[in-house]
Amino acid sequence: MGGTAPVVDMQGISIAFPGVRALDGVDFRLFPGEVHALLGENGAGKSTLIKALTGVYAIDDGTITVLGARTSFGTPAEAQASGISTVYQEVNLCPNLSVEENILLGREPRRRGAIHWREVRRKAEEVLDQLQLGHIDPRSVLSSHSIAIQQLVAIARAMQIEARVLILDEPTSSLDADEVQQLFSVIRTLRDRGVAILFVSHFLEQVYEVSDRMTVLRNGRLVGEYLTAELPRMGLISKMIGKELDALAELEEAESRRQPDRTDQTLFLQAEGLGRKGSVQEVTFTVHDGEILGLAGLLGSGRTETARLLFGADRADQGQLTIRGTSRALRSPRSAIDRGIAFSSENRKEEGLIGDLSVRDNLILALQAGKGWWRRVPRATQDELADRYIKALDIRPSGKDTLIRDLSGGNQQKVLLARWLITDPRLLILDEPTRGIDIGAKTQIQKLISSLAADGMSVIFISAELEEVLRISDRIAVLKDRRMVADIPNDNITMEDVMTVIAGTNA
Amino acid sequence: MSVLTRTPAPLDRPRMTRLRGKARYAPTLATMGLFLAMFAAGAVMYPGFLSGQVFLNLLIDNTFLIVLAVGMTFVILTGGIDLSVGSVVALSMMIAAALLQAGWNPAAVIALVLLTGATFGLLMGLVIQVFEIQPFIVTLAGLFLARGLCYVISVDSITVTDPFFTSMAQARIPLVGTLFVSPGVVIALVVVAVAFYVLHQTRFGRTVYAIGGGESSALLMGLAVPRTKVLVYGISGLCSSIAGILFSFYSLSGYSLAATGLELDAIAAVVVGGTLLTGGYGYVLGSLTGVLVLGIVQTFISYEGTLSSWWTRIVIGALLLVFILLQKLFTRKVRLT
Amino acid sequence: MSALLRHRLTWPVLALVLLLLLNQLFRADFLSVRVQDGHLYGSLIDILRNGAPTILIALGMTLVIASRGIDLSVGAVAAIAGAVSCMYIYSSPEPASLQTAATGVAIAVVAGLALGAWNGFLVSVIGIQPIIATLVLMTAGRGLAQLVTDGQIISVSNDSYQAIGAGYFLGLPISILIAAAAFGITGLLTRRTALGTLIESVGINPVASRLSGLDARTITWTVYVFSGLCAAVAGLMISSNVTAADANNAGLYIEMDAILAVVIGGTSLAGGRYSLVGTLVGALIIQTLTTTVYTLGVPPEATLVFKALVVIIVCLLQSSRARTLLSRRRRPVTEPSRPKVAA
């Protein structure tokens, strides 16, 4: 590929959002006729990079060259006009319209002002045939098809515009095996016709199967660009997960209290083959009092789904859950909370914060919810609790009446933690409690978790940073492809050991 | 793919609150079935019900509602709502009556009324689009404004004596045998036909559906979303003023309190006609059927001497409820599996 | 000072004061309140008394809107409440007794609670959008009221009943006292218990509220029942004031006035933080506006034009976000908001 010029060349791209440096001097090249995988964990900057390329975000620094010309697209439509089309995970088509319309919407051939429907059909059939998708009836309504077919239709639309660059953002996350193969055959057809394809996926098998080259990002920075054939799985995983250098310094001081065997303690919770159709399967583990169970696995492996099942946010339809020796079916978060389970979501903004309420109101929300609306937590108790937890967790600013949306991410996270601590739960499930917050708050939270467990509280700890999971947990449950695949005591095991499990036996 | 590679179990598919496949015709077909059943029931119960003229009278008595429902269909297809239509009808009638009283030429009056209605709608659309205020509250302000302007023109009823308007009120267009329709029916049906053409044969019409199917998708597909959203309110305003003229033909007067609550009838007709209030699904022909269903309810109640007129409102409310629940049922079922 | 300017009640209160002063300019005795026969009289008292039904309904509407909902049916519910109570009193063997009036009022209140429960059921259990769910009752409600009154305007002559809307107690119109009591009780009920905060939580972030263990369904249901109750009492007031139930015109457009009062009072239609005081001020602004139009000699019916202008202005002021969006639309609003305080 050395001879050809890249169709897309991004140099030194930086984008900062308030408080976050989403991209920091990232270079990225895309050549015609290649499938290029973009890899990284959550928050690595993959989607920001794509949005920078397609004109959704303005870049703060750097240059974007498309087909030899420096560009900066103002809107996705402009990018599309220059031959860059994107197919998103959540299909961005109109489900209420027919397949043929979705392919040609906005560019329908017309005759005397009216849409020339026969010509619409001919063109749609033409492009579907080119992609070997002739079996799709162009007149059928889009929503009558599976997500896989809808994605293929989206690709057909992109091809109808004669895209030079096709960006596929997590296209396979909701497809089954046959559908993935169908998608891949279309991808190969397009590659052979010289289309440059940018492929984002968290399924490493698929990346290895279809891509020619890969670019790895971590924390908004470029880790490197590699030929797929030359980078083994283990190497890739360690580049994706990596070691956070800043955290390393703190590592010494937060020395581990790991205690892999806690079976002498009382059993709190036992999951046996717990699962939910379309969510996660075969979750089997136990949690004892004072134990920290880490959930490890790549993005999309079913970490969050497991937590939601244990909290009753989603109802399990397989397996059994036993809490304190009694079999329970958790029908709602309320029923889980009543059994002493608390859950802090990875999605702080959507699933945690009540943004327009004060720190105080946010702190006592779960406690108040438990008491019902009539028995208000007395003001004096509110103040006392708020003061105590603001001090204990070092929440800044220390004003109880500050709106929580005005706090930084780390302090918001501490408030959400305190919300649950006030209810004195038996099991605290923490989904990515340290993501996107600064290093100071991060170590504070890690220490807090350890001390809570030392006081007898059970914790399920979820993090994309394997190193963090290893440092904190007593035992580690490993998830892969939405199944639990291993339960390992954290007994002198290394990151490599866990990565080997994640990478699978054929690594 | 190697044997060892396990493909991931499919994720929870995004919840699709969409009708799938042929199901999209189902609500409209249900309405048509309901209409036929009601007509048949009427034929069995009342002598003289089964006549062409009873059917044509449904059209004659509801010309303005048909046109209103057409405009409302455009708005609801994009997922919006227009509460101002009843007031704009009244305003159109007042303007027409006042200008005719002042001796204006009827053609100029009609042109001015239509222009006013369309502009009124466009302005509301602009406010909705530019300032991102909910259609509900903006058109509510429109409701107040138009109704208030009626009173500014005149608090009392103004009678229309213009020869053209009176001739339109009395004219009968004979069909086969003794059957006849009014000129208003012809106008209303032309409006329906034009709307059908626009919605199904133009890029603008398809964009209306696309916005209802998913506004952000439509934007990402590079469609003229903002322009279309403004225009649908303009169309609704235009339809309201046409309906106002038709109502004037029918009532030969302008009165500030006329057409109160007509927006509810229009919304009910559209919903009963099978258009989803969340947008994206529905047909003007469905809305036409919806108007006929509301009309036949009224006919029933007038045939059944013992039932009082307020039953109309109750039955319309009940129909609205049934169709909303049906919509809920349809959309819940079609979460893709 | 700048804190005062930013307070969300500053502008509504200022608008109210300006309106009152404008009236004073045109009618020198506008602000004076005099005592006659032991009763208070004056324009201010009139504004309060005529605004009482709107205030009541707006109280219920505030909580509904705070929970991310809307209740379009309140006008129809008010009409039904007036109809059932008047019909009961009218057809009772002792149409003038206190007991009859009390029973009539009780029936109306129960009807209001039941209709509110119906709305709440459609919204919280069936899951229909509030605007559509309440549209059903808005459409059918006046028909139901006419059904009750058999299409007639039912006049009653019962002194106890008439007192609700037209009577005086301790020199003040009873309707004002009822509205004041409702305001006080609502304030206590929502701010002394946790109800207010929980309603706001559900309105701001329903998902996070559920994950914190809140029973959002019950809370949603409660606010619609409360709104039905407020509408019923307002309906009693309206019918008592004219000693008749008019199924067609009682409470016509009052849902619009109530929504307007809530919005003027600074509660966002998107739900969340609400202000009962703001709603009170908003309702008074609307009522004063009506009076002002009258004072200025404009035909009273033209009030609607002014109301429309107020809606538009308030909405434009509230959508200042729209303007900031225009200036920096390249950064979609989904991005993390700027933390004002460093960690």
Side-chain angles (χ1 to χ4, degrees):
Chain A
M1 257 169 248
T4 42
V7 54
V8 170
D9 193 357
M10 302 172 83
Q11 294 287 334
I13 305 294
S14 292
I15 291 186
F17 294 121
V20 192
R21 216 166 162 71
L23 282 181
D24 192 359
V26 172
D27 302 337
F28 178 76
R29 302 180 302 162
L30 189 58
F31 290 92
E34 74 164 347
V35 179
H36 192 134
L38 185 59
L39 294 156
E41 276 286 291
N42 244 345
K46 290 171 301 191
S47 60
T48 314
L49 188 71
I50 291 175
K51 285 175 176 163
L53 175 58
T54 52
V56 179
Y57 294 155
I59 55 172
D60 296 333
D61 206 0
T63 60
I64 302 176
T65 312
V66 176
L67 294 165
R70 277 214 28 197
T71 48
S72 71
F73 303 120
T75 63
E78 284 177 36
Q80 224 172 67
S82 303
I84 300 181
S85 280
T86 314
V87 175
Y88 297 93
Q89 177 183 1
E90 68 285 12
V91 184
N92 274 293
L93 294 176
C94 293
N96 56 330
L97 300 179
S98 66
V99 168
E100 59 189 15
E101 273 206 270
N102 270 297
I103 294 175
L104 284 139
L105 204 60
R107 288 188 318 277
E108 300 97 336
R110 286 182 289 192
R111 193 174 51 180
R112 275 176 268 123
I115 294 174
H116 192 354
W117 285 106
R118 205 178 317 148
E119 187 66 11
V120 167
R121 176 143 330 136
R122 195 189 62 72
K123 285 197 169 191
E125 275 168 355
E126 186 183 277
V127 66
L128 286 173
D129 282 344
Q130 278 174 14
L131 297 176
Q132 279 124 40
L133 298 171
H135 56 283
I136 301 176
D137 177 5
R139 278 172 302 180
S140 53
V141 182
L142 187 74
S143 63
S144 67
H145 295 289
S146 67
I147 297 284
I149 299 289
Q150 296 189 24
Q151 256 160 359
L152 294 174
V153 172
I155 294 175
R157 176 179 172 84
M159 286 310 101
Q160 219 285 321
I161 319 177
E162 298 187 344
R164 303 287 302 273
V165 175
L166 181 62
I167 301 172
L168 300 169
D169 190 0
E170 298 280 6
T172 58
S173 53
S174 37
L175 309 191
D176 67 27
D178 294 341
E179 292 169 337
V180 169
Q181 284 315 307
Q182 195 173 14
L183 175 72
F184 283 179
S185 88
V186 168
I187 289 178
R188 292 191 188 103
T189 309
L190 292 173
R191 177 186 60 194
D192 297 343
R193 284 167 49 187
V195 178
I197 294 161
L198 173 54
F199 178 75
V200 181
S201 173
H202 52 256
F203 296 112
L204 298 192
E205 303 295 343
Q206 298 174 359
V207 168
Y208 275 96
E209 187 183 346
V210 80
S211 76
D212 305 307
R213 188 194 294 264
M214 47 178 90
T215 292
V216 180
L217 301 180
R218 195 171 67 227
N219 290 333
R221 294 203 185 87
L222 178 71
V223 176
E225 186 197 88
Y226 314 92
L227 286 175
T228 307
E230 292 172 5
L231 183 67
R233 260 155 250 242
M234 280 298 292
L236 172 61
I237 292 172
S238 70
K239 285 187 197 319
M240 281 168 62
I241 299 176
K243 283 179 199 258
E244 199 173 45
L245 295 175
D246 306 332
L248 218 53
E250 308 279 339
L251 183 66
E252 274 39 76
E253 111 182 54
E255 205 22 72
S256 103
R257 50 163 287 283
R258 295 184 311 222
Q259 199 178 325
D261 184 18
R262 296 223 153 225
T263 40
D264 56 318
Q265 298 289 325
T266 321
L267 182 66
F268 177 73
L269 171 146
Q270 183 171 18
E272 281 178 71
L274 202 65
R276 176 185 162 88
K277 196 161 170 281
S279 167
V280 65
Q281 253 100 42
E282 292 170 26
V283 175
T284 300
F285 53 61
T286 55
V287 183
H288 292 82
D289 283 349
E291 184 173 41
I292 303 180
L293 174 70
L295 291 193
L298 294 177
L299 179 66
S301 59
R303 301 179 306 216
T304 300
E305 288 81 353
T306 305
R308 289 180 65 88
L309 285 187
L310 294 177
F311 188 60
D314 297 328
R315 278 189 214 174
D317 53 16
Q318 305 153 11
Q320 215 185 6
L321 186 67
T322 313
I323 300 171
R324 281 269 188 266
T326 316
S327 174
R328 303 277 184 195
L330 300 177
R331 316 189 131 262
S332 67
R334 182 75 256 152
S335 61
I337 294 167
D338 291 342
R339 311 266 169 278
I341 301 176
F343 168 58
S344 167
S345 164
E346 65 175 330
N347 193 342
R348 276 201 297 275
K349 203 168 161 189
E350 312 284 325
E351 300 184 348
L353 304 175
I354 312 288
D356 278 344
L357 290 187
S358 65
V359 168
R360 179 216 313 269
D361 288 337
N362 271 281
L363 274 173
I364 61 149
L365 186 64
L367 182 67
Q368 184 65 65
K371 283 176 172 290
W373 66 268
W374 179 251
R375 290 189 298 147
R376 176 168 172 262
V377 178
R379 188 73 173 194
T381 316
Q382 290 187 20
D383 284 337
E384 196 248 322
L385 285 171
D387 284 334
R388 191 196 319 159
Y389 279 93
I390 286 173
K391 189 151 178 281
L393 302 190
D394 191 24
I395 294 170
R396 290 181 215 174
S398 55
K400 298 186 278 282
D401 295 308
T402 319
L403 293 188
I404 195 169
R405 65 181 150 106
D406 292 339
L407 265 55
S408 69
N411 283 303
Q412 288 177 343
Q413 185 64 54
K414 289 185 200 166
V415 173
L416 295 183
L417 267 176
R419 176 191 289 173
W420 290 116
L421 297 182
I422 287 175
T423 65
D424 196 19
R426 300 311 310 147
L427 169 64
L428 182 59
I429 305 172
L430 299 170
D431 193 358
E432 300 275 13
T434 62
R435 184 204 295 168
I437 65 180
D438 62 283
I439 191 71
K442 198 167 189 167
T443 44
Q444 279 177 333
I445 288 175
Q446 289 172 357
K447 280 184 203 159
L448 175 71
I449 294 168
S450 296
S451 72
L452 287 171
D455 292 342
M457 192 185 290
S458 314
V459 178
I460 293 183
F461 182 80
I462 303 173
S463 172
E465 286 175 43
L466 190 50
E467 190 196 355
E468 193 182 40
V469 177
L470 276 166
R471 191 180 331 141
I472 287 186
S473 313
D474 300 318
R475 275 189 15 260
I476 295 172
V478 182
L479 289 146
K480 186 189 176 199
D481 296 345
R482 304 212 175 86
R483 260 166 225 281
M484 194 180 134
V485 292
D487 181 352
I488 321 167
N490 191 359
D491 197 1
N492 292 321
I493 55 170
T494 61
M495 294 212 347
E496 280 68 29
D497 297 334
V498 180
M499 282 184 208
T500 313
V501 179
I502 293 175
T505 42
N506 51 348
Chain B
M1 200 179 265
S2 88
V3 193
L4 286 164
T5 314
R6 232 175 323 181
T7 32
L11 259 182
D12 241 353
R13 298 271 156 78
R15 211 182 115 191
M16 310 284 290
T17 53
R18 309 290 179 207
L19 301 180
R20 62 188 301 192
K22 294 271 186 311
R24 62 181 170 157
Y25 299 116
T28 305
L29 289 176
T31 312
M32 290 184 175
L34 177 67
F35 175 74
L36 290 178
M38 288 173 90
F39 207 84
V44 171
M45 286 160 68
Y46 311 111
F49 196 97
L50 184 66
S51 84
Q53 197 56 46
V54 168
F55 175 77
L56 292 177
N57 283 343
L58 286 179
L59 294 174
I60 293 171
D61 294 339
N62 291 295
T63 51
F64 49 92
L65 192 54
I66 292 173
V67 177
L68 275 188
V70 166
M72 190 68 81
T73 308
F74 275 85
V75 174
I76 292 183
L77 276 176
T78 65
I81 197 137
D82 188 351
L83 295 180
S84 72
V85 293
S87 298
V88 176
V89 166
L91 180 62
S92 304
M93 292 171 72
M94 286 304 282
I95 294 176
L99 292 180
L100 289 171
Q101 198 181 36
W104 280 48
N105 175 312
V109 168
I110 291 174
L112 188 78
V113 165
L114 298 187
L115 187 69
T116 311
T119 312
F120 195 89
L122 282 176
L123 286 178
M124 289 193 299
L126 274 174
V127 173
I128 290 167
Q129 179 60 33
V130 175
F131 296 100
E132 296 180 351
I133 307 176
Q134 287 132 301
F136 155 71
I137 196 84
V138 174
T139 56
L140 177 62
L143 180 156
F144 281 145
L145 188 60
R147 189 66 73 179
L149 289 174
C150 289
Y151 290 115
V152 172
I153 293 172
S154 166
V155 179
D156 303 313
S157 167
I158 308 174
T159 312
V160 173
T161 51
D162 176 79
F164 174 71
F165 273 63
T166 44
S167 71
M168 289 300 272
Q170 285 146 10
R172 293 280 174 267
I173 299 172
L175 303 175
V176 282
T178 58
L179 299 179
F180 64 88
V181 294
S182 65
V185 172
V186 177
I187 296 172
L189 293 181
V190 166
V191 169
V192 171
V194 169
F196 184 86
Y197 176 84
V198 168
L199 279 177
H200 295 281
Q201 297 293 332
T202 67
R203 285 188 185 172
F204 168 78
R206 301 323 291 169
T207 307
V208 169
Y209 277 96
I211 292 173
E215 190 174 336
S216 58
S217 296
L219 261 176
L220 283 174
M221 287 161 108
L223 304 180
V225 172
R227 191 183 68 200
T228 308
K229 274 178 70 190
V230 173
L231 277 175
V232 291
Y233 290 93
I235 288 175
S236 180
L238 179 65
C239 284
S240 305
S241 53
I242 295 175
I245 297 289
L246 292 178
F247 209 155
S248 299
F249 289 168
Y250 189 78
S251 69
L252 285 182
S253 68
Y255 180 43
S256 301
L257 273 174
T260 314
L262 204 57
E263 60 275 355
L264 296 184
D265 288 347
I267 294 171
V270 171
V271 172
V272 170
T275 299
L276 238 57
L277 274 164
T278 41
Y281 293 90
Y283 305 94
V284 276
L285 291 181
S287 300
L288 175 64
T289 319
V291 173
L292 292 179
V293 167
L294 300 197
I296 209 167
V297 167
Q298 215 141 19
T299 312
F300 255 113
I301 283 161
S302 62
Y303 265 75
E304 183 71 51
T306 57
L307 283 182
S308 317
S309 61
W310 45 85
W311 277 103
T312 319
R313 297 228 66 80
I314 299 173
V315 174
I316 291 177
L319 276 177
L320 194 59
L321 176 69
V322 168
F323 276 81
I324 287 170
L325 290 177
L326 277 180
Q327 288 188 359
K328 190 81 198 165
L329 213 66
F330 272 122
T331 49
R332 194 176 276 175
K333 257 194 189 159
V334 294
R335 263 185 240 175
L336 288 180
T337 42
Chain C
M1 184 64 198
S2 69
L4 189 66
L5 277 179
R6 273 203 312 269
H7 194 279
R8 60 175 169 175
L9 284 182
T10 306
W11 291 109
V13 169
L14 209 63
L16 181 58
V17 169
L18 279 177
L19 267 177
L20 292 173
L21 287 179
L22 184 70
N23 279 287
Q24 174 72 14
L25 224 62
F26 280 80
R27 262 180 42 202
D29 63 341
F30 184 81
L31 291 176
S32 67
V33 173
R34 60 188 192 284
V35 182
Q36 195 177 322
D37 305 335
H39 299 160
L40 291 175
Y41 280 99
S43 301
L44 291 182
I45 301 294
D46 286 344
I47 289 173
L48 283 172
R49 196 181 63 190
N50 295 333
T54 313
I55 292 172
L56 264 176
I57 287 183
L59 284 178
M61 190 69 80
T62 308
L63 298 189
V64 172
I65 289 180
S67 76
R68 270 200 188 182
I70 196 123
D71 188 351
L72 295 181
S73 70
V74 285
V77 173
I80 292 172
V84 292
S85 62
C86 285
M87 203 57 203
Y88 176 80
I89 294 169
Y90 177 78
S91 53
S92 142
E94 291 177 75
S97 80
L98 171 66
Q99 203 194 345
T100 308
T103 314
V105 167
I107 293 174
V109 165
V110 169
L113 291 172
L115 293 170
W118 163 256
N119 282 331
F121 172 76
L122 290 183
V123 173
S124 67
V125 179
I126 309 281
I128 301 172
Q129 290 156 267
I131 184 171
I132 296 164
T134 54
L135 185 67
V136 172
L137 193 51
M138 186 194 191
T139 308
R142 287 194 185 275
L144 289 173
Q146 281 177 303
L147 182 67
V148 172
T149 63
D150 204 28
Q152 308 294 313
I153 293 182
I154 304 294
S155 295
V156 294
S157 54
N158 180 314
D159 292 341
S160 321
Y161 188 69
Q162 198 180 345
I164 301 171
Y168 284 82
F169 182 71
L170 298 175
L172 277 171
I174 289 177
S175 54
I176 296 184
L177 296 175
I178 292 177
F183 180 79
I185 292 170
T186 312
L188 284 179
L189 204 61
T190 55
R191 292 308 186 195
R192 284 286 147 187
T193 70
L195 188 60
T197 313
L198 298 190
I199 291 172
E200 288 178 336
S201 293
V202 171
I204 295 167
N205 192 339
V207 179
S209 299
R210 174 170 176 263
L211 287 178
S212 300
L214 269 186
D215 186 358
R217 180 178 286 187
T218 308
I219 288 172
T220 310
W221 207 331
T222 310
V223 294
Y224 284 93
V225 171
F226 180 71
S227 176
L229 173 67
C230 288
V233 177
L236 286 172
M237 235 180 235
I238 293 167
S239 74
S240 147
N241 195 28
V242 295
T243 63
D246 180 350
N248 266 323
N249 294 310
L252 192 62
Y253 289 141
I254 203 165
E255 60 276 351
M256 309 299 176
D257 281 353
I259 294 168
L260 189 51
V262 175
V263 173
I264 293 175
T267 302
S268 159
L269 276 174
R273 299 295 288 259
Y274 67 88
S275 161
L276 291 177
V277 179
T279 297
L280 179 66
V281 173
L284 291 178
I285 287 180
I286 292 170
Q287 198 56 49
T288 312
L289 196 67
T290 313
T291 314
T292 311
V293 169
Y294 199 72
T295 314
L296 293 178
V298 183
E301 293 82 357
T303 317
L304 285 172
V305 177
F306 288 89
K307 279 186 196 166
L309 295 178
V310 171
V311 181
I312 293 165
I313 292 168
V314 169
C315 284
L316 291 187
L317 285 179
Q318 281 196 354
S319 84
S320 57
R321 212 188 97 245
R323 265 171 289 145
T324 47
L325 271 184
L326 282 178
S327 55
R328 42 190 289 266
R329 74 192 155 90
R330 297 292 296 279
R331 284 287 151 76
V333 282
T334 48
E335 289 318 313
S337 61
R338 181 182 295 275
K340 290 187 183 148
V341 186

